[in-house]
Amino acid sequence: ILMVGEKGKNMKCLTFFLMLPETVKNRSKKSSKKGNSSSSSSSSSKLPPVCYEIITLKTKKKKKMAADIFPRKKPANTNTTAVQQYHQQNLNNNNTIPAPNWQGLYPTIRERNAVMFNNDLMADVHFVVGPPGGTQRLPGHKYVLAVGSSVFHAMFYGELAEDKDEIRIPDVEPAAFLAMLKYIYCDEIDLAADTVLATLYAAKKYIVPHLARACVNFLETSLSAKNACVLLSQSCLFEEPDLTQRCWEVIDAQAELALKSEGFCDIDFQTLESILRRETLNAKEIVVFEAALNWAEVECQRQELTATIENKRKVLGKALYLIRIPTMALDDFANGAAQSGILTLNETNDIFLWYTAAKKPELQFVSKPRKGLVPQRCHRFQSCAYRSNQWRYRGRCDSIQFAVDKRVFIAGFGLYGSSCGSAEYSAKIELKRQGVILGQNLSKYFSDGSSNTFPVWFEYPVQIEPDTFYTASVILDGNELSYFGQEGMTEVQCGKVTVQFQCSSDSTNGTGVQGGQIPELIFYA
């Protein structure tokens, strides 16, 4: 009889019945004397050498798992150095753990499983990852991989499984494959801006949906005008409609920035066509035209063609006619598109006639202007007023802080004008986040003496993330007396966007939540 377990806690009583060799020998002799007997009785006489019975002793305490006993605690100080050493070894390839009792350093199965990540210890498969000339050999453990991915399960345990010790994966980058393995082994997501797209590709290929979702969330968070076009191309490839929609929102609102970015030249032809066909692009057509020519020049290099006018037109193909050249300002066409050489002489003449002739010729180009985006206005005051001694400026700053619950793009501010007849103002507008300037512009506007607001625009719309306070500021120079807002609101619902306001420490001219200047935020959503 063997008592197993700590005294008084979940003890088990194991009763062993041991059949000694002599006893087995004697029983064998007795069975042979019976002569011919049935097979069933013969087989029943063959007793196994060892039998056991397990009896669980009742205890009042509930059984606990290792994770409950050690809730994410670090190992004792005596083993900290060893644990850190093993974690460091995990970062390098083909490092085994020499310690005889490394399992004792990790209290939970999750941590012990993580030790196997990128480790040759007990590895039963290896992957040669990356294109020729840039490969990396990575160890793996079939059971762990099969638990984390249905593709690996089919690869190692499916009906068509192949028993290979080494598997080549030329279409995945080593860093991305390692990021996926780290998630499978360690349940940790480690993404970087330069490898997240490749990691998304690996997660999609091996059907690791939670990692793929994390990659998409990372991309949505880091989305900007600089990378929106490239991410649009990739999101269509990976069939991620939510990411595609986010990309279109950025491209529409910040079209000129997106079209002038380096990433625009890296997109494929299908994505180029979809952008040129876009009805809601918020950009001048001359900017669209110049962006298409820049793309054509890079495409010639990709196809190993000399970047001549003929080759540029060749790679653009029918996409050239998606550029709405007849909708350009006449100056933009005459000084830009007409002299680019990309148009034939007949096309140039027909477009000039389109601008000037009463009877307009038929054109292959789309002649209808793009709709663009309609700006929304968030008005934060319920009324406005003027007095004989207010509102004065004298070069001081009027400022207010705001936050939104959805991503928007601030295009400018609506400002009050003179209360003493028509006047011209010079306005320096600025948008900051935690002291960092995101957008600013110096421009003039004319007020007609009414209490209306007058728009002042940034050069490009500024992307505003939700649930973060931004500071809107303006320094006005002009007629000393102007209208001002009163009965200000701390929260305003504008369409589907909720805007909150609070006072800003940058305001040195009296503007706050209850009254003052900057009555409107002009934005795209």
Side-chain angles (χ1 to χ4, degrees), residues 80-100:
T80 301
T81 304
V83 173
Q84 292 175 346
Q85 177 184 355
Y86 298 151
H87 276 306
Q88 183 60 38
Q89 287 177 338
N90 261 46
L91 299 177
N92 303 319
N93 194 23
N94 298 335
N95 278 312
T96 58
I97 293 187

Side-chain angles (χ1 to χ4, degrees), residues 305-380:
L305 299 173
T306 306
T308 61
I309 296 296
E310 292 77 13
N311 286 335
K312 287 181 183 180
R313 178 152 182 150
K314 177 182 177 181
V315 297
L316 280 172
K318 294 183 178 180
L320 177 64
Y321 298 109
L322 298 175
I323 305 172
R324 308 187 183 194
I325 295 177
T327 67
M328 291 182 184
L330 181 57
D331 289 345
D332 289 340
F333 173 71
N335 298 317
Q339 299 186 41
S340 66
I342 202 75
L343 304 177
T344 65
L345 184 59
N346 287 337
E347 289 170 343
T348 303
N349 291 336
D350 286 345
I351 294 174
F352 267 121
L353 289 174
W354 175 270
Y355 283 109
T356 57
K359 185 179 180 180
K360 301 183 182 300
E362 291 185 4
L363 300 175
Q364 288 184 280
F365 296 92
V366 179
S367 57
K368 183 180 178 181
R370 302 179 195 272
K371 293 180 180 178
L373 294 177
V374 178
Q376 300 184 43
R377 293 174 179 252
C378 175
H379 198 91
R380 68 188 190 93

Side-chain angles (χ1 to χ4, degrees), residues 275-318:
I275 293 176
L276 296 182
R277 197 177 280 115
R278 189 75 173 172
E279 189 71 28
T280 49
L281 277 185
N282 198 36
K284 295 179 180 178
E285 206 62 32
I286 185 63
V287 176
V288 178
F289 177 80
E290 292 171 351
L293 291 189
N294 292 335
W295 179 90
E297 184 172 353
V298 176
E299 182 64 17
C300 285
Q301 296 174 6
R302 284 192 286 263
Q303 296 187 20
E304 298 181 353
L305 299 173
T306 306
T308 61
I309 296 296
E310 292 77 13
N311 286 335
K312 287 181 183 180
R313 178 152 182 150
K314 177 182 177 181
V315 297
L316 280 172
K318 294 183 178 180

Side-chain angles (χ1 to χ4, degrees), residues 426-441:
S426 174
K428 179 183 179 182
I429 59 174
E430 194 173 75
L431 195 57
K432 295 189 295 185
R433 177 183 178 181
Q434 298 177 348
V436 178
I437 297 176
L438 304 178
Q440 62 181 358
N441 197 20

Side-chain angles (χ1 to χ4, degrees), residues 161-394:
E162 297 182 13
D163 190 15
K164 292 183 178 180
D165 294 332
E166 191 172 272
I167 299 173
R168 296 188 176 274
I169 308 176
D171 59 329
V172 178
E173 295 179 12
F177 197 79
L178 272 173
M180 182 181 69
L181 291 184
K182 187 172 185 179
Y183 172 76
I184 293 175
Y185 278 80
C186 311
D187 199 24
E188 296 178 11
I189 297 175
D190 187 10
L191 301 175
D194 55 343
T195 58
V196 63
L197 278 173
T199 305
L200 176 59
Y201 174 77
K204 287 281 188 177
K205 178 177 179 178
Y206 292 98
I207 312 180
V208 187
H210 296 291
L211 178 60
R213 185 67 251 171
C215 291
V216 172
N217 291 339
F218 183 94
L219 291 171
E220 289 181 356
T221 303
S222 58
L223 184 61
S224 68
K226 294 181 179 180
N227 60 17
C229 294
V230 173
L231 293 184
L232 175 67
S233 177
Q234 297 297 321
S235 67
C236 295
L237 176 65
F238 295 135
E239 297 181 347
E240 287 290 343
D242 292 341
L243 180 58
T244 301
Q245 179 59 31
R246 291 286 189 182
C247 291
W248 278 125
E249 290 174 3
V250 174
I251 293 172
D252 283 342
Q254 297 180 303
E256 294 193 0
L257 283 176
L259 293 172
K260 291 178 180 179
S261 67
E262 293 182 3
F264 178 79
C265 296
D266 295 330
I267 61 177
D268 57 273
F269 183 77
Q270 185 177 358
T271 305
L272 173 72
E273 283 188 311
S274 64
I275 293 176
L276 296 182
R277 197 177 280 115
R278 189 75 173 172
E279 189 71 28
T280 49
L281 277 185
N282 198 36
K284 295 179 180 178
E285 206 62 32
I286 185 63
V287 176
V288 178
F289 177 80
E290 292 171 351
L293 291 189
N294 292 335
W295 179 90
E297 184 172 353
V298 176
E299 182 64 17
C300 285
Q301 296 174 6
R302 284 192 286 263
Q303 296 187 20
E304 298 181 353
L305 299 173
T306 306
T308 61
I309 296 296
E310 292 77 13
N311 286 335
K312 287 181 183 180
R313 178 152 182 150
K314 177 182 177 181
V315 297
L316 280 172
K318 294 183 178 180
L320 177 64
Y321 298 109
L322 298 175
I323 305 172
R324 308 187 183 194
I325 295 177
T327 67
M328 291 182 184
L330 181 57
D331 289 345
D332 289 340
F333 173 71
N335 298 317
Q339 299 186 41
S340 66
I342 202 75
L343 304 177
T344 65
L345 184 59
N346 287 337
E347 289 170 343
T348 303
N349 291 336
D350 286 345
I351 294 174
F352 267 121
L353 289 174
W354 175 270
Y355 283 109
T356 57
K359 185 179 180 180
K360 301 183 182 300
E362 291 185 4
L363 300 175
Q364 288 184 280
F365 296 92
V366 179
S367 57
K368 183 180 178 181
R370 302 179 195 272
K371 293 180 180 178
L373 294 177
V374 178
Q376 300 184 43
R377 293 174 179 252
C378 175
H379 198 91
R380 68 188 190 93
F381 295 125
Q382 299 182 64
S383 63
C384 66
Y386 69 92
R387 294 174 186 165
S388 59
N389 61 343
Q390 287 181 326
W391 193 271
R392 298 181 184 275
Y393 301 111
R394 299 176 182 175

Side-chain angles (χ1 to χ4, degrees), residues 448-466:
D448 56 8
S450 69
S451 59
N452 297 330
T453 58
F454 303 92
V456 179
W457 307 94
F458 288 104
E459 185 177 3
Y460 302 109
V462 180
Q463 181 171 310
I464 303 297
E465 297 299 331

